[in-house]
Amino acid sequence: MDLTMTEVATPLSEKARAVLGKRNLIFVGLMGAGKSAIGRLVAQTLSIPFIDTDAEIEKVSRMTISELFAAYGEVEFRALETRVIERLLRGGPRVVSTGGGAFINENTRHQIKIGGISIWLKADLDVLWERVNKRDHRPLLKTENPRQTLENLMIQRYPIYAEADVTVLSENVRKDVMVNEVLSAVANLSGESELPSEGELQ
């Protein structure tokens, strides 16, 4: 008999959910790492709400991310992103997927660090490029050599993403495998004292 992902993951998801408590689980990483796709499935497995911060920014601004970049530039966009993420992280528990540059911004990174458990989905260049080169909505990749731009972003950003509480490799495997990897990583945090306590998040 085939077991569904939920049936397999139930003891694991219960442990991960207990570790999370009232804290948020916040996905960070580069575009194409799978933050939204995996985050949404993790939220379903944990039976808690899922929020994509880019979608939330587009909702409150009534503009797409590309339009915001074009109209206001990256600096203004990051300021808006920080405000939206700060508001979203006040409640919990939630699974929150952030835009690729969110964790790089010092102010936003501070909000994420005090707002819950951060998890970096780390992928190599070939995996990311395969995922992002099929779509035309990435403002930072509108360059003459987008693959090189993506590699440059990896070089700049990976040392900062490494500050996240947890790192999980994002590979070309089934999504349920990735979900279990994330749940295992969270469940294994139970004895780690450096994470903010629920009391610190109030």
Side-chain angles (χ1 to χ4, degrees), residues 130-196:
E130 181 183 332
R131 294 174 182 173
V132 303
N133 74 347
K134 299 164 187 166
R135 302 179 69 184
D136 187 37
H137 69 294
R138 313 280 187 179
L140 293 182
L141 293 186
K142 294 184 184 300
T143 62
E144 289 185 11
N145 188 341
R147 184 184 168 96
Q148 183 61 53
T149 301
L150 185 62
E151 185 173 7
N152 292 343
L153 285 171
M154 291 176 68
I155 293 167
Q156 294 164 12
R157 293 180 174 183
Y158 273 27
I160 300 174
Y161 290 143
E163 295 181 27
D165 297 313
V166 184
T167 299
V168 172
L169 290 179
S170 179
E171 301 174 293
N172 282 333
V173 295
R174 294 196 326 268
K175 288 178 181 175
D176 60 313
V177 174
M178 283 297 308
V179 169
N180 280 343
E181 289 286 326
V182 169
L183 294 174
S184 296
V186 174
N188 288 334
L189 286 171
S190 53
E192 299 196 10
S193 59
E194 67 270 16
L195 288 175

Side-chain angles (χ1 to χ4, degrees), residues 63-80:
M63 298 173 73
T64 67
I65 301 299
S66 293
E67 287 169 346
L68 286 165
F69 263 78
Y72 300 107
E74 185 171 2
V75 173
E76 283 297 316
F77 172 78
R78 295 301 171 202
L80 171 62

Side-chain angles (χ1 to χ4, degrees), residues 37-63:
I38 302 305
R40 188 172 280 107
L41 291 173
V42 168
Q44 289 173 3
T45 307
L46 295 176
S47 299
I48 60 177
F50 170 78
I51 294 177
D52 182 303
T53 61
D54 278 354
E56 192 70 15
I57 289 166
E58 290 183 341
K59 187 168 76 174
V60 300
S61 67
R62 298 183 181 180
M63 298 173 73

